[in-house]
Amino acid sequence: TTGVPLTASPEKELLFSKPMTAGFDLERLLDFFLDAVVEVAAVPRVSLLLLDEEARDYRIFAFRGLIPDVVKPLRLPFEDGIPTWMARHGRILRMDRISEDPRDPLLEQSFREMEILGCVVSIPVFHEGRLTGILNLGEKLTGSAYTDSELQKLFFLAGHVAESMGGIRRYQRLMKDLSALPDRGIDEKKRDSSQTLDELVGGIAHELRNPLVAVSTFTQLLKDRYGDPELREFFYNTVSGEVDRLNQL
């Protein structure tokens, strides 16, 4: 396939630095992430579905270039085509590849769902072994196809953002629990404070682990693809950014 490759510098600046400045604001993190994808991948239409465990479905939490009244009501239950296929295979769905094997009923269903979402590529977003989101990309502004290299990078970058989303949600649950605490005795408050401190320390450890995930991932890739100069440059820029982030903690 042909396409305009993702450059290392914008990926580092937009897809790593910006989302990590979102603090504990999930909406802001997702805005940064989608804006970065739109700019770096030159794609006018993009959406992100996130897992709603209570409803047992995936819902659009953020999008660009789509009609709000059309996309906001959309739901993909666990058993639908795209979530089921991704949970089984853990791979990226491409509409051009789906059309090559129309005999698979699960792929046929996924094809119809992608048409509704207005996308030609769906990228699984995994966190701690679970499918927690689905990143959907429309056609490029240039009309060219996405390269395998571009989609591979977006796959790993989406996983990195998923790590940040996990940390934000843990923080939000902690703050909700603290706000619900009644006015109790001094001893009980001390125990609550100790527990809160332990959880905050755990949160800090998680923030330390986030950059290590990126470093570990690309170290493994580099071992098998050291001869790829584009990957080496992307690895260098990514690791440099993550080390800078560790120094700022």
Side-chain angles (χ1 to χ4, degrees):
T1 57
T2 60
V4 180
L6 298 177
T7 57
S9 178
E11 283 171 340
K12 172 190 172 186
E13 189 66 27
L14 293 170
L15 291 173
F16 279 103
S17 300
K18 272 191 173 182
M20 296 312 133
T21 63
F24 293 103
D25 188 332
L26 180 59
E27 184 176 348
R28 188 179 179 208
L29 172 71
L30 297 182
D31 282 341
F32 276 144
F33 178 54
L34 289 196
D35 287 344
V37 172
V38 168
E39 183 170 343
V40 174
V43 52
R45 292 184 300 179
V46 57
S47 64
L48 180 65
L49 295 106
L50 295 182
L51 174 64
D52 185 329
E53 297 204 45
E54 292 186 2
R56 293 183 55 80
D57 63 18
Y58 294 85
R59 306 183 179 198
I60 293 183
F61 274 68
F63 59 91
R64 296 289 183 274
L66 298 169
I67 301 173
D69 292 342
V70 174
V71 298
K72 283 185 177 181
L74 292 179
R75 303 285 188 272
L76 287 183
F78 282 7
E79 62 274 9
D80 272 13
I82 295 176
T84 301
W85 192 93
M86 287 184 170
R88 288 181 185 175
H89 302 283
R91 300 203 307 270
I92 296 171
L93 269 172
R94 301 181 58 163
M95 191 170 284
D96 55 351
R97 304 287 170 84
I98 292 176
S99 60
E100 293 173 2
D101 187 12
R103 295 169 296 178
D104 186 336
L106 190 58
L107 284 179
E108 285 185 10
Q109 184 179 358
S110 300
F111 180 85
R112 291 192 297 269
E113 291 166 3
M114 291 176 73
E115 286 185 320
I116 294 172
L117 292 167
C119 67
V120 296
V121 173
S122 291
I123 300 175
V125 181
F126 288 100
H127 178 57
E128 297 180 346
R130 298 191 64 197
L131 181 66
T132 58
I134 303 169
L135 176 65
N136 305 292
L137 308 175
E139 292 185 355
K140 285 186 175 184
L141 285 169
T142 60
S144 59
Y146 293 94
T147 66
D148 290 338
S149 176
E150 287 174 324
L151 296 180
Q152 185 182 56
K153 290 172 185 176
L154 288 173
F155 173 82
F156 285 112
L157 293 172
H160 190 79
V161 172
E163 286 283 337
S164 297
M165 286 192 291
I168 290 174
R169 282 173 166 164
R170 279 190 288 271
Y171 171 82
Q172 290 175 338
R173 286 195 296 268
L174 173 61
M175 292 298 102
K176 182 178 180 180
D177 291 342
L178 288 176
S179 65
L181 290 175
D183 186 13
R184 294 174 290 184
I186 295 176
D187 289 340
E188 284 189 276
K189 287 185 177 181
K190 284 183 177 180
R191 285 196 297 271
D192 291 336
S193 297
S194 177
Q195 181 181 355
T196 300
L197 179 60
D198 289 342
E199 293 182 2
L200 286 175
V201 169
I204 293 172
H206 176 78
E207 287 302 310
L208 288 171
R209 189 167 62 250
N210 276 346
L212 294 179
V213 169
V215 173
S216 174
T217 297
F218 286 104
T219 298
Q220 294 173 29
L221 281 175
L222 196 64
K223 180 181 178 181
D224 298 328
R225 295 174 52 194
Y226 186 79
D228 185 341
E230 183 182 357
L231 181 64
R232 289 204 308 271
E233 182 181 6
F234 184 62
F235 172 84
Y236 172 79
N237 285 301
T238 298
V239 171
S240 298
E242 294 305 290
V243 171
D244 290 341
R245 185 181 165 221
L246 285 172
N247 289 332
Q248 294 170 5
L249 289 177

